[in-house]
Amino acid sequence: MEIPKTYDPASSEDRWYQYWLENRFFKSTPDNREPYTIVIPPPNVTGVLHMGHMLNNTIQDVLIRRARMMGKNACWVPGTDHASIATEAKVVAMLKEKGIEKKDLSREDFLKHAWEWKEKYGGIILEQLKKLGASCDWDRTRFTMEDDLSEAVIDVFIDLFRKGQIYRGTRMVNWDPVGLTAVSDEEVIYKEVDSTLYHVRYQVEGSDEWITIATTRPETILGDTAVCVHPSDGRYTHLHGRRIIVPIANRSIPLITDEYVAMDFGTGALKVTPAHDLNDYQLGLKHKLPSIDTLTPDGKLSDAAGHYIGEDRFVVRKKIVKDLDAKGHLVKSEPYKSNVGFSERTNAVIEPRLSMQWFLKMDTISKPALENVMNDNIRLVPDKFKNTYRHWMENVHDWCISRQLWWGQRIPAWYDQHGDYVVAKTEQEARTLFASRNKDFTTDTIIHQDEDVLDTWFSSWLWPISVFDGFKSPGNADIKYYYPTNDLVTAPEILFFWVARMIIAGYEYMGEKPFTNVYLTGIVRDKLGRKMSKSLGNSPDPLDLIAKYGADGVRTGMLFSSPAGNDLPFDESLCEQGRNFANKIWNAFRLINNWQQHATTNPIATERNKESVTWLKQHIANETANINDLFSKYRLSEALMAVYRLVWDDFCSWYLELIKPDMGGTLDDVTCRETVQCFEALLKLLHPFMPFITEEIWHHLAQRNQKESIMVSSWPQEGVIDPKTQQAFNAMQQLVSQVRNIRKSSNIPNKEPLRMLHLWGTEYSIQPYSEAISKLCNISSIEETSDKQSHMVPILAGSGEYFLDIKEQINTEEEIAKLTKEIEYVQGFLASVDRKLQNERFMTGAKPEVIALEQKKKSDAEEKIQVLREQIAGLGGNNR
RNA sequence: GGGAUGUUAGCUCAGUUGGUUCAGAGCACUGCCUCGACAAGGCAGGGGUCACUGGUUCGAGCCCAGUACGUCCCACCA
């Protein structure tokens, strides 16, 4: 059978993924092995795969596949998030295209459309993850809005309410007067716009005095309930305790003092409009000021404004300026740049607006979450995020958990017509509660459920518990076995939104952390450093990339340059590098496969093959230890790079070339088998990163039955390398490189054989490789000599001295210059060592082993200089 | 504005407790090479005053202070 010269991922990937699924290798059920668990950060159910998901899920798959090979019971739980804001926005947009407005639909009808949408598009992203090779236990797929999970959310809400942790209160929300809905902070886009700062003077009650304030929003004057100055502002001290008349409205309001006011801004006097500005609202709370809401939901002036009723706020702004001017209140107006929030959806100017919301108290419930991260009970990787985390957790404010949406878990609060409310799971329970509280309450009394739903994070914070049915059936086999999970892989931007809250829920409901390690990935950026996003259109389609470079190529491409916590400046050439690597592995396989076909005639291993095999086996074991160490530190990029070099440089470039038989020859049986075994070990180390190609080659190398997948094979054993083996190998490498170098610089073609001598009495650890060296550098023979060969080119490799018989052909001057440069460097080095050794304070201060090391350096350097001088002399140079 | 964090080859990053065998890796770059696995390749090279300025020390990429620039999070000043 002819094996193609290049690896073709397309013909292999789907086949192997199918094979894994059919043999249920991703499946996990509790048993007596040690569990290793990851819960996926559930992607938006209607989302499509983007580069951030690719990075995130590649990392999870690498971790889970390695754990599985290490004999753990690996369980990766997949699922999706109902993402109320994003999904509802998409459904609203879809309906709009069909000419349907959300406000014309009943709640039930809207939700019907939403569920249809979810059924149609939900889970596409999970199918896409399969292309990437994700080894999730698909039987465990969950959805944050499925019945069981929703019930858990409602139960938790009720429980926290009963514990007194949830309360109802007013809050400033971002109101979209066009969309007629509150929008989240994330959906507000701040833009700098040119506006005007108006200086308006208010009369002090009962006097001829005036006080001038500055505002960009004069139309809100009608809602003013105080004027505020800094308590130590000398300009206004005499007015403390006086009252002020609001222009146009002619209302009397107090002058208050607060240190919040910046004396150097504007006039140092601030008009306070609690209903229409967040800071003013807080001032209002502090000073117990009334709020006058002068706007209607659609941004027109309300009855409460008393003037300009029913007119748009921007029209009123112009009118009121004119009127203020006419009445002599406008002192001056100056151009001013201010930050104005716009709705991402409707582009309308956002109005801060007061509304009733539900809150979760965070002060006590968040304590264990801070503590257990600070004491490393839960580890953040990289740990620099601990500071950020602490800062946030120490300044945590109550969590607003209600959202003015329909898609999500509806708040289980019920209101009667007086606005009194109870929290209950069903209407029936609510009625019972009302009745027990109020004698007049009858079965005929109308009550209605809260229209709002809960913040999506209020369901996803339960994810590590709810996916194992920890709420539905506490103490069940799954939750006992898999919880706490091991690693969580997610983006730092949701460290607070999600990670911190999962930790809080974990301690509150399980009395235990939800996971041990949190691996924080970076953001995938384009070449210009911009975040890759759909709206910018700067993100490649992940599936196109997979089609072009193969899933293995893309996976490795993403991991080549993304240490934990660092952004990934994505470049397609990284995937190309990954693809090239796959191809390199493929061709190593082709070579070995060829040997396998013909390796029967020559059963005796040569010394060079024996030594090479010994070195390779030890080296792989040694590197496995190194790779394990990198994994334990979550240095995935470095672990990949270590495997990359081990395979490409050590295995392909050195080992395979060493044992490669002469043209027309065959490889001995023993070496062939050992080589296959080593190659299999390398494939195992590669497997977490490149699952597809490793499985493909794994099955080509040997007859294996259905159950013998590489993904359930065992991770290679660690070991140490014998220093002598290492030393011999390194000396051989040095010698070969130097001979090649001399050939290059002297223009001696490889075809021309050269004679080499080894100086008797110096290190000859390369002996087992002498035959290999002859082949790699075309040396006709290596003879021993007892004398320095002054007429030949000297080489130092390890501490062995060699002579290459080519003096006539080389550029002696160049060689001497090279050696001289080398001497200069070593002399410089020696000088610095000497300085240290002659320094009394060093000799008395430094540790004995440091001094011993320096003395060793000194003698080594001196010896080396001696040898180099002899070499220069041998070449006829000046032996200085 | 508050907090965090970073600045090491053209690019992306390593550099553990300060000790010139630590200035390193991969990619990119340069030169040579179709040699029976692989040109998606082989071999050999070039390349950095470790942001800047001071300080501590016998000795600083590593410790301290300041400066410059960058990134992230939070709050966004009427």
Side-chain angles (χ1 to χ4, degrees):
Chain A
M1 180 186 72
E2 191 64 29
I3 302 169
K5 261 171 98 164
T6 48
Y7 170 62
D8 177 26
S11 68
S12 146
E13 292 180 354
D14 287 348
R15 185 160 41 88
W16 290 117
Y17 201 85
Q18 210 46 46
Y19 160 76
W20 293 329
L21 285 178
E22 278 163 14
N23 287 280
R24 304 180 69 71
F25 290 132
F26 303 160
K27 179 82 197 139
S28 171
T29 47
D31 59 23
N32 49 20
R33 285 176 295 168
E34 183 188 338
Y36 176 86
T37 319
I38 295 181
V39 291
I40 203 170
N44 180 347
V45 66
T46 61
V48 291
L49 201 66
H50 63 241
M51 295 309 286
H53 294 125
M54 292 283 281
L55 175 63
N56 181 264
N57 289 289
T58 296
I59 291 167
Q60 291 176 72
D61 198 45
V62 168
L63 294 174
I64 207 94
R65 282 180 184 272
R66 174 165 174 272
R68 197 179 282 121
M69 292 173 76
M70 293 186 87
K72 294 180 184 164
N73 186 347
C75 181
W76 184 9
V77 183
T80 47
D81 190 301
H82 65 277
S84 33
I85 294 171
T87 306
E88 181 152 331
K90 279 186 186 171
V91 174
V92 167
M94 175 272 290
L95 289 171
K96 198 164 195 163
E97 261 175 43
K98 292 184 182 170
I100 307 170
E101 291 289 329
K102 181 188 166 190
K103 61 175 192 281
D104 298 333
L105 289 174
S106 70
R107 185 180 191 112
E108 286 66 35
D109 287 342
F110 176 82
L111 286 176
K112 224 176 97 191
H113 281 112
W115 277 105
E116 274 170 18
W117 172 270
K118 185 258 168 189
E119 291 312 320
K120 192 166 168 196
Y121 298 101
I124 288 183
I125 194 159
L126 297 182
E127 290 308 308
Q128 292 178 313
L129 282 180
K130 294 178 181 175
K131 296 279 177 202
L132 186 64
S135 61
C136 304
D137 182 353
W138 297 108
D139 296 345
R140 293 181 176 275
T141 306
R142 307 303 295 254
F143 173 50
T144 55
M145 230 170 101
E146 67 181 63
D147 290 346
D148 287 349
L149 272 61
S150 284
E151 195 181 345
V153 170
I154 298 303
D155 288 344
V156 162
F157 181 94
I158 295 169
D159 177 65
L160 289 170
F161 179 79
R162 296 201 175 138
K163 286 178 184 161
Q165 296 291 319
I166 285 179
Y167 65 95
R168 206 163 168 251
T170 48
R171 174 178 156 120
M172 216 32 116
V173 295
N174 304 302
W175 184 259
D176 178 342
V178 174
L180 295 179
T181 175
V183 297
S184 69
D185 292 347
E186 293 76 39
E187 293 172 294
V188 179
I189 302 164
Y190 285 93
K191 290 183 207 161
E192 193 167 81
V193 296
D194 291 319
S195 83
T196 311
L197 187 63
Y198 300 96
H199 291 244
V200 181
R201 61 176 196 170
Y202 291 22
Q203 189 162 25
V204 178
E205 193 175 41
S207 84
D208 292 335
E209 266 199 88
W210 300 84
I211 183 164
T212 304
I213 56 87
T215 181
T216 53
R217 304 196 51 195
E219 73 279 12
T220 64
I221 281 174
L222 300 168
D224 286 356
T225 55
V227 168
C228 188
V229 296
H230 196 280
S232 51
D233 191 336
R235 291 171 292 179
Y236 303 115
T237 319
H238 65 290
L239 295 176
H240 290 184
R242 302 290 293 271
R243 294 184 70 85
I244 312 292
I245 305 294
V246 180
I248 314 271
N250 283 322
R251 273 186 295 107
S252 162
I253 57 172
L255 182 109
I256 60 170
T257 61
D258 197 288
E259 284 164 4
Y260 162 74
V261 180
M263 287 192 273
D264 56 356
F265 186 90
T267 60
L270 169 73
K271 72 190 229 17
V272 184
T273 323
H276 298 289
D277 182 281
L278 181 57
N279 294 298
D280 289 12
Y281 174 65
Q282 272 151 5
L283 267 180
L285 281 183
K286 193 168 161 189
H287 296 275
K288 300 196 165 55
L289 300 172
S291 289
I292 304 173
D293 187 348
T294 58
L295 289 179
T296 61
D298 59 350
K300 299 193 166 65
L301 268 74
S302 68
D303 294 347
H307 297 75
Y308 315 103
I309 295 167
E311 294 186 69
D312 186 82
R313 62 201 195 283
F314 294 112
V315 175
V316 174
R317 183 175 300 174
K318 284 185 188 135
K319 282 192 177 174
I320 201 167
V321 169
K322 212 186 250 171
D323 294 346
L324 286 167
D325 196 17
K327 294 187 171 165
H329 288 287
L330 189 66
V331 178
K332 66 169 175 178
S333 49
E334 55 191 16
Y336 182 74
K337 285 198 193 309
S338 68
N339 256 347
V340 177
F342 292 84
S343 166
E344 187 178 35
R345 290 190 227 163
T346 64
N347 205 32
V349 173
I350 292 294
E351 284 296 330
R353 184 162 191 257
L354 285 177
S355 66
M356 288 302 269
Q357 304 289 338
W358 292 88
F359 292 88
L360 174 61
K361 288 185 193 165
M362 294 296 270
D363 48 0
T364 55
I365 203 174
S366 65
K367 285 282 181 303
L370 173 59
E371 222 175 274
N372 286 287
V373 167
M374 294 328 287
N375 66 16
D376 284 333
N377 206 347
I378 296 168
R379 245 180 87 205
L380 302 185
V381 180
D383 63 3
K384 66 177 178 184
F385 286 106
K386 268 170 82 172
N387 285 331
T388 321
Y389 183 87
R390 183 183 57 210
H391 184 250
W392 191 77
M393 292 301 274
E394 282 174 351
N395 298 287
V396 66
H397 38 259
D398 288 354
W399 176 12
C400 178
I401 53 175
S402 44
R403 293 289 182 273
Q404 288 64 55
L405 299 165
W406 283 345
W407 179 246
Q409 285 95 10
R410 191 170 178 180
I411 292 172
W414 307 78
Y415 304 85
D416 68 10
Q417 273 156 321
H418 311 294
D420 289 333
Y421 66 89
V422 297
V423 165
K425 200 163 177 177
T426 61
E427 183 173 348
Q428 206 36 253
E429 283 177 33
R431 288 188 168 279
T432 314
L433 278 172
F434 269 122
S436 69
R437 193 190 282 186
N438 178 359
K439 288 191 191 77
D440 301 333
F441 192 88
T442 69
T443 46
D444 297 332
T445 311
I446 293 167
I447 63 170
H448 66 274
Q449 190 176 354
D450 197 309
E451 291 297 327
D452 291 350
V453 298
L454 288 159
D455 182 11
T456 307
W457 300 114
F458 196 81
S459 63
S460 40
W461 75 323
L462 308 176
W463 186 247
I465 307 172
S466 57
V467 294
F468 299 116
D469 288 328
F471 291 99
K472 190 186 172 198
S473 39
N476 73 72
D478 275 3
I479 191 86
K480 270 161 65 185
Y481 184 72
Y482 294 113
Y483 192 96
T485 69
N486 297 72
D487 297 340
L488 178 81
V489 181
T490 192
E493 47 197 3
I494 54 174
L495 184 58
F496 310 124
F497 287 133
W498 191 43
V499 179
R501 286 165 182 167
M502 278 192 287
I503 300 174
I504 292 171
Y507 283 103
E508 181 73 13
Y509 286 101
M510 295 297 294
E512 172 66 290
K513 61 189 172 185
F515 30 70
T516 303
N517 301 294
V518 182
Y519 181 109
L520 296 153
T521 65
I523 294 165
V524 185
R525 298 182 180 279
D526 69 5
K527 282 179 191 165
L528 300 172
R530 299 173 305 178
K531 183 176 173 174
M532 279 190 174
S533 72
K534 229 170 91 184
S535 51
L536 274 174
N538 58 350
S539 175
D541 182 338
L543 295 185
D544 290 348
L545 285 177
I546 289 177
K548 201 164 163 194
Y549 301 104
D552 292 333
V554 178
R555 288 167 66 111
T556 46
M558 308 217 62
L559 285 183
F560 272 134
S561 75
S562 57
N566 275 38
D567 285 358
L568 166 63
F570 184 78
D571 189 324
E572 257 194 62
S573 67
L574 287 167
C575 296
E576 201 179 321
Q577 194 189 342
R579 180 204 59 182
N580 293 356
F581 183 39
N583 202 49
K584 184 73 187 177
I585 300 165
W586 182 251
N587 278 289
F589 157 65
R590 292 210 311 147
L591 179 64
I592 293 168
N593 179 259
N594 194 38
W595 291 338
Q596 278 184 307
Q597 314 292 317
H598 308 284
T600 48
T601 51
N602 188 4
I604 307 299
T606 59
E607 198 185 351
R608 86 165 199 255
N609 285 5
K610 279 187 199 154
E611 185 74 8
S612 301
V613 166
T614 303
W615 169 79
L616 180 66
K617 282 160 82 170
Q618 290 183 13
H619 185 58
I620 290 174
N622 195 56
E623 278 303 297
T624 302
N626 176 33
I627 288 159
N628 285 344
D629 181 55
L630 291 169
F631 266 108
S632 76
K633 293 170 180 154
Y634 293 87
R635 295 171 158 227
L636 267 46
S637 290
E638 287 179 57
L640 170 61
M641 193 46 73
V643 189
Y644 181 87
R645 286 160 60 189
L646 177 62
V647 171
W648 200 310
D649 298 344
D650 300 334
F651 184 67
C652 293
S653 296
W654 284 104
Y655 175 81
L656 291 180
E657 292 301 329
L658 275 173
I659 63 160
K660 191 185 270 184
D662 291 335
M663 238 218 281
T666 56
L667 189 65
D668 68 85
D669 222 11
V670 180
T671 307
C672 185
R673 277 202 307 271
E674 297 273 25
T675 302
V676 169
Q677 267 179 29
C678 285
F679 191 37
E680 286 182 349
L682 295 175
L683 291 175
K684 288 175 180 183
L685 293 173
L686 281 165
H687 180 77
F689 300 104
M690 312 180 89
F692 293 107
I693 188 175
T694 49
E695 187 77 89
E696 175 83 36
I697 296 176
W698 177 258
H699 287 271
H700 273 107
L701 281 176
Q703 279 295 321
R704 300 186 197 270
N705 69 38
Q706 275 287 303
K707 289 285 168 198
E708 289 176 303
S709 164
I710 191 171
M711 67 168 286
V712 292
S713 69
S714 59
W715 189 251
Q717 289 292 314
E718 291 188 5
V720 287
I721 191 157
D722 173 31
K724 282 215 168 80
T725 310
Q726 182 71 61
Q727 199 188 351
F729 193 83
N730 287 348
M732 179 275 297
Q733 284 180 309
Q734 278 179 39
L735 185 57
V736 169
S737 291
Q738 288 188 64
V739 174
R740 283 169 174 167
N741 186 345
I742 291 165
R743 276 189 184 276
K744 278 258 145 88
S745 58
S746 312
N747 267 322
I748 306 169
N750 233 344
K751 284 174 202 136
E752 192 174 318
L754 292 173
R755 199 165 71 94
M756 186 160 74
L757 302 181
H758 165 247
L759 182 63
W760 200 82
T762 64
E763 179 199 297
Y764 198 33
S765 57
I766 62 141
Q767 191 166 22
Y769 295 110
S770 52
E771 189 195 329
I773 290 163
S774 303
K775 187 164 71 91
L776 294 180
C777 327
N778 196 11
I779 300 294
S780 52
S781 65
I782 304 177
E783 299 150 29
E784 300 220 24
T785 173
S786 53
D787 302 314
K788 305 224 172 197
Q789 304 293 314
S790 60
H791 57 288
M792 295 185 187
V793 178
I795 301 174
L796 264 178
S799 44
E801 284 188 59
Y802 304 85
F803 301 92
L804 209 48
D805 186 9
I806 48 163
K807 192 173 170 189
E808 315 74 44
Q809 290 161 307
I810 68 160
N811 185 336
T812 357
E813 259 173 51
E814 229 171 65
E815 281 303 308
I816 290 172
K818 233 158 70 182
L819 292 167
T820 308
K821 216 173 144 191
E822 175 87 17
I823 287 185
E824 275 165 16
Y825 174 80
V826 182
Q827 275 174 334
F829 173 63
L830 181 62
S832 85
V833 174
D834 271 337
R835 255 199 310 279
K836 266 191 248 176
L837 290 172
Q838 278 156 22
N839 186 318
E840 227 174 272
R841 300 187 65 170
F842 172 75
M843 294 305 282
T844 52
K847 284 181 272 182
E849 55 265 36
V850 175
I851 293 174
L853 189 67
E854 294 302 313
Q855 275 158 348
K856 173 93 166 58
K857 282 184 199 168
K858 181 181 160 79
S859 58
D860 285 354
E862 282 168 345
E863 201 178 309
K864 190 155 187 193
I865 289 170
Q866 185 54 33
V867 173
L868 289 167
R869 280 193 175 141
E870 284 167 10
Q871 292 185 344
I872 290 176
L875 287 164
N878 180 14
N879 181 0
R880 353 171 225 160

